[in-house]
Amino acid sequence: MKFGYFDDTNKEYVITSPKTPLPWINYLGSENFFSLISNTCGGYSFYKDAKLLRLTRYRYNNVPLDSNGHYYYIKDGDTIWNPGWMPSKTELDAYSCRHGMGYSVFKGTKNKLTAELTSFVPVGETCEVGKLSLTNESNETRNFSVFSYVEFCLWNAMDDMTNFQRNFSTGEVEIHGSALYHKTEYRERRNHYAVYAVNAPIAGFDTDRDSFLGAYGENSAPEVVVNGTSKNSVASGWAPIGSHHLEVSLAPGETKTYVFVLGYVENPVEEKWVGRAEDGVINRKRADELLSRFDTAEKADAALVKLKDYWNELLSHFTISSSEEKLDRMVNIWHQYQCMVTFNMSRSASYFESGIGRGMGFRDSCQDLLGFVHLIPDRARERILDIAATQFEDGSAYHQYQPLTKKGNSDIGSGFNDDPLWLIAGTAAYIKETGDYSILDEMTPYDSDASKATTFMEHLRRSFHYTMEHLGPHNLPLIGRADWNDCLNLNCFSTEPGESFQTFGPSEGPNAESVFIAGMFVRYGKDYAAICRHQGMTEEAELAEKAIAEMEKTVMDAGWDGEWYLRAYDHYKNKIGSKECEDGKIFIEPQGFCVMAEIGLEEGCCLKAMESVEKYLDTKYGIVLLQPPYHRYHVELGEISSYPPGYKENAGIFCHNNPWISIAETVIGRGNRAWQVYTRTCPAYIEDISEIHRTEPYVYSQMIAGKDAPNFGEAKNSWLTGTAAWTFLNVSQFILGIRPDYDGLTVDPCIPSKLDGFTAKRDFRGVSYHITVKNPNHVEKGVLSMIVDGQPVEGTTIPFSAEKKDVNVEVTMG
Ligand code: BGC
Ligand code: IFM
């Protein structure tokens, strides 16, 4: 069952019922100001950091689901309704929500009155624009009221929902004409405030929530809206809000448009203290400038066109055309869009991540780069250096850092032993995309301390050596607190039996080892060695190559279980992910990574491992993380066994590592299977089962309940997941096979044999490659010939040259 449809021409998903199984959201904003916005106008806004600078308040765990938002109430006679249905939940005569690239359009009709709300964050601005058009579809003149409503958050979202003894006394506002200013904190800091304004005279306003809703009132039927008159309340403490009252009169067929702006304003240091004499009165200069940029419908329209142009340009760098409509849709639009959102948000703010907990992930942000770097390489470069600046001097890393301060999060600390290697992965992707080795010379701090800076190349060296120098009894890498699988905590040995696990217990025991990190070490170690060679660090390259060869041997000796790769050894040196185990006999992660690293390829281990994945881990909704699930709690394994069977890391379908298997399948040339793995979790391919899947059908979720769970097939944690980057990497670089490499662009597809081929346009280092792939013999892999601008080229890589701006490539598979 579907709740909408894809509109590929407009790059939108059109939701046709407000009652989606879960809120289906979109992200507004591309750089600093962001809003989350659901299909019923729920959500909130923040500037740079969802925890520290949150503009509007959201209520988690609320009933009904998905409340607070940026709402517009229409009071038409006795009927109160909202164009996005919530929060009044008045049944609409017509409803649609179009989620597009950085904007959402809501259209509601009730009693022949239509309201169309277009919400977006203009490029380069720190505000959300809400353009509201009201049309009288009837034959009579209509007089009605519109009430806007946002509830302000007192900036620090964590403090906002806990520190009531203080917060109920700090709220302050100012009102100037149609502009309502939220200035809590301004008295103290004098540098930032929010403004909520409309470009028309207002009949009234409210800034105090209790006045607006009424004592014990609800946002489904605020007292002010029910009575049809604002109270002109001026908040002092309690809960500041912004609400405008517009009185509207429309002749038959007439449309009127209003532009609402919710903005964040920061006074630069030199302006910060202007107005000090009148203590606490805000300096509105910058707000006035901001509002004047959007004070007509024409200006708002022009900003929307600019936003669409921005996205059309970004998405033009990689486009394909094939006989598979859903593939084209995902590659050309939604994969890349989700990559941008995960790059911007890391794991901070979604409807499943509170924006308060995680901030940016060291591992997560490095992986996000893999799918993002081709979109805006300069921002990728900046991000890599930001991440590296939080690294410790020994090469290990804070697991997370705060987006606003860019400082490592010492509450979470370090000890995730896969982290350092992800920095190599992200950097290799950047260099392959851009050819820019100058990043390696950048002086880069450790632990955010500039006095401890070295070149960035030295950071990479320390990353690699950290793994090399932290080996366990079998010479496999020590796992530390966890590797990619956050919940496999094998150093929980000091916990008393019967106690719950200590996820953040001793960060590194002497024994617990990870075969997954070994796979990563081999795969990304090869990149490290290649970069060393390029930099003339021959000795270091040789040392790395030797360590990699030894690690490959170690995996074959101590990490191969006969039919698949082992997962790990625990603190007691017991095998994890072995046929000898009672539960958790086989895990997905080492199968993906060891095959991607080609460990044991010649010995046939890669094929065998892939066959085992298919035999033991496959389901109709994707590949589960492990089998059998842990049926009871194991203190020595940590959080993993705290989940009921089939959920999350305990045998859920982790979408993130499904592409690892798909890529691994391309390594061994099985295009049909790589395709099957790709399509099974791919949003567009499972749109028809939206009632089972439940999350948005245009983006990936982190997890789908596995076959051992009662809700098999139900997804959770949509949007912010490494799945976005890995899937785009998989489909673009391994299935379609268009892969940036150090010396040029490689074209080496591994596609389902049913495909006749495809065409693609790929921009690479300033050159546009127009690629035609033909598959006359319907093979799964193999390049028979490659013709570049009429000349045959040996192999599958087009050596890079900046001479021509357009290059035609014809590849014949066979
Ligand atoms: C959290 C877990 C979560 C895991 C994967 C860990 O950091 O503690 O609760 O399941 O990450 O998201
Ligand atoms: O690898 C992690 C990721 O960093 C956060 N989400 C879950 C994954 C697996 O535990």
Side-chain angles (χ1 to χ4, degrees), residues 347 353 358 363-364 399-400 412 416 484-487 489 501 503-504 639 642-643 648-649 654 702 717:
R347 303 299 169 269
E353 297 282 6
R358 290 172 172 238
R363 167 205 296 147
D364 299 319
H399 194 51
Q400 282 155 17
I412 306 289
F416 294 79
W484 175 88
N485 189 330
D486 281 326
C487 300
N489 314 122
F501 67 88
T503 316
F504 303 138
E639 186 175 355
S642 72
Y643 288 109
K648 295 277 287 179
E649 283 84 343
F654 238 83
Q702 181 207 51
N717 307 351

Side-chain angles (χ1 to χ4, degrees), residues 13 126 264 278 359 467 697-698:
Y13 191 82
T126 61
Y264 171 84
E278 306 157 78
T467 311
Y698 38 92

Side-chain angles (χ1 to χ4, degrees), residues 415-464:
F416 294 79
N417 278 357
D418 61 321
D419 273 335
L421 292 173
W422 290 116
L423 188 64
I424 299 177
T427 307
Y430 171 78
I431 294 178
K432 286 177 186 170
E433 180 69 40
T434 59
D436 169 25
Y437 286 88
S438 75
I439 189 174
L440 301 171
D441 303 327
E442 295 287 347
M443 290 305 284
T444 312
Y446 291 91
D447 198 4
S448 307
D449 179 348
S451 71
K452 291 195 257 176
T454 68
T455 62
F456 177 59
M457 183 70 219
E458 175 61 14
H459 279 257
L460 296 186
R461 196 191 68 78
R462 293 186 194 186
S463 297
F464 185 77

Side-chain angles (χ1 to χ4, degrees), residues 689-701:
I689 56 154
S690 288
E691 81 287 5
I692 298 171
H693 189 72
R694 301 187 76 215
T695 51
E696 294 90 333
Y698 38 92
V699 290
Y700 283 89
S701 294

Side-chain angles (χ1 to χ4, degrees), residues 604-778:
C605 296
C606 294
L607 175 61
K608 190 87 210 131
M610 290 300 99
E611 285 170 351
S612 297
V613 167
E614 198 168 349
K615 186 163 164 199
Y616 299 108
L617 300 179
D618 232 20
T619 80
K620 61 179 173 175
Y621 296 132
I623 303 168
V624 295
L625 193 143
L626 62 88
Q627 275 296 300
Y630 291 105
H631 289 93
R632 64 176 179 86
Y633 179 66
H634 295 258
V635 75
E636 76 286 5
L637 304 181
E639 186 175 355
I640 194 162
S641 58
S642 72
Y643 288 109
Y647 290 119
K648 295 277 287 179
E649 283 84 343
N650 190 12
I653 297 160
F654 238 83
C655 297
H656 190 140
N657 35 38
N658 275 246
W660 298 349
I661 298 301
S662 189
I663 296 173
E665 289 287 359
T666 69
V667 169
I668 58 169
R670 301 204 305 177
N672 288 335
R673 172 68 178 155
W675 177 253
Q676 183 187 50
V677 173
Y678 167 69
T679 50
R680 276 203 177 140
T681 56
C682 183
Y685 283 88
I686 54 174
E687 187 196 5
D688 286 342
I689 56 154
S690 288
E691 81 287 5
I692 298 171
H693 189 72
R694 301 187 76 215
T695 51
E696 294 90 333
Y698 38 92
V699 290
Y700 283 89
S701 294
Q702 181 207 51
M703 192 236 16
I704 299 168
K707 61 183 175 184
D708 305 291
N711 299 335
F712 181 35
E714 180 191 62
K716 289 194 186 103
N717 307 351
S718 58
W719 280 99
L720 304 186
T721 159
T723 316
W726 274 104
T727 310
F728 184 64
L729 195 78
N730 173 33
V731 70
S732 62
Q733 300 196 12
F734 294 91
I735 292 180
L736 300 170
I738 303 171
R739 187 158 63 238
D741 213 331
Y742 295 106
D743 299 324
L745 192 66
T746 296
V747 185
D748 186 13
C750 184
I751 54 177
S753 51
K754 67 175 182 184
L755 279 195
D756 293 328
F758 60 91
T759 60
K761 188 206 138 210
R762 173 60 151 102
D763 293 340
F764 176 63
R765 303 186 193 172
V767 177
S768 293
Y769 291 83
H770 306 272
I771 302 164
T772 303
V773 171
K774 292 186 180 149
N775 188 18
N777 300 323
H778 290 272

Side-chain angles (χ1 to χ4, degrees), residues 444-652:
T444 312
Y446 291 91
D447 198 4
S448 307
D449 179 348
S451 71
K452 291 195 257 176
T454 68
T455 62
F456 177 59
M457 183 70 219
E458 175 61 14
H459 279 257
L460 296 186
R461 196 191 68 78
R462 293 186 194 186
S463 297
F464 185 77
H465 282 253
Y466 183 85
T467 311
M468 238 176 83
E469 284 150 26
H470 289 76
L471 303 179
H474 300 89
N475 282 328
L476 287 163
L478 289 173
I479 199 167
R481 268 156 64 169
D483 58 24
W484 175 88
N485 189 330
D486 281 326
C487 300
L488 188 63
N489 314 122
L490 303 180
N491 283 306
C492 294
F493 53 89
S494 69
T495 311
E496 290 301 312
E499 268 184 26
S500 67
F501 67 88
Q502 297 178 343
T503 316
F504 303 138
S507 68
E508 189 168 284
N511 293 335
E513 298 168 292
S514 163
V515 176
F516 169 80
I517 300 181
M520 270 189 92
F521 182 79
V522 173
R523 182 171 163 87
Y524 296 123
K526 290 176 190 167
D527 281 309
Y528 173 66
I531 294 170
C532 288
R533 279 203 188 279
H534 180 274
Q535 296 302 95
M537 297 162 59
T538 315
E539 246 176 69
E540 177 67 7
E542 281 165 6
L543 178 148
E545 281 154 0
K546 189 163 161 272
I548 293 162
E550 276 165 18
M551 189 64 81
E552 288 183 89
K553 189 169 175 309
T554 303
V555 172
M556 293 310 293
D557 292 345
W560 178 251
D561 200 47
E563 283 179 76
W564 57 80
Y565 302 91
L566 281 177
R567 178 64 178 85
Y569 286 91
D570 71 12
H571 171 66
Y572 305 98
K573 303 181 193 165
N574 293 323
K575 292 176 183 170
I576 305 293
S578 160
K579 54 182 179 294
E580 295 163 22
C581 301
E582 177 197 345
D583 285 335
K585 289 176 191 288
I586 169 170
F587 280 64
I588 194 172
E589 305 99 310
Q591 318 317 322
F593 253 85
C594 293
V595 177
M596 284 196 271
E598 302 183 10
I599 301 175
L601 184 65
E602 277 162 23
E603 293 86 340
C605 296
C606 294
L607 175 61
K608 190 87 210 131
M610 290 300 99
E611 285 170 351
S612 297
V613 167
E614 198 168 349
K615 186 163 164 199
Y616 299 108
L617 300 179
D618 232 20
T619 80
K620 61 179 173 175
Y621 296 132
I623 303 168
V624 295
L625 193 143
L626 62 88
Q627 275 296 300
Y630 291 105
H631 289 93
R632 64 176 179 86
Y633 179 66
H634 295 258
V635 75
E636 76 286 5
L637 304 181
E639 186 175 355
I640 194 162
S641 58
S642 72
Y643 288 109
Y647 290 119
K648 295 277 287 179
E649 283 84 343
N650 190 12

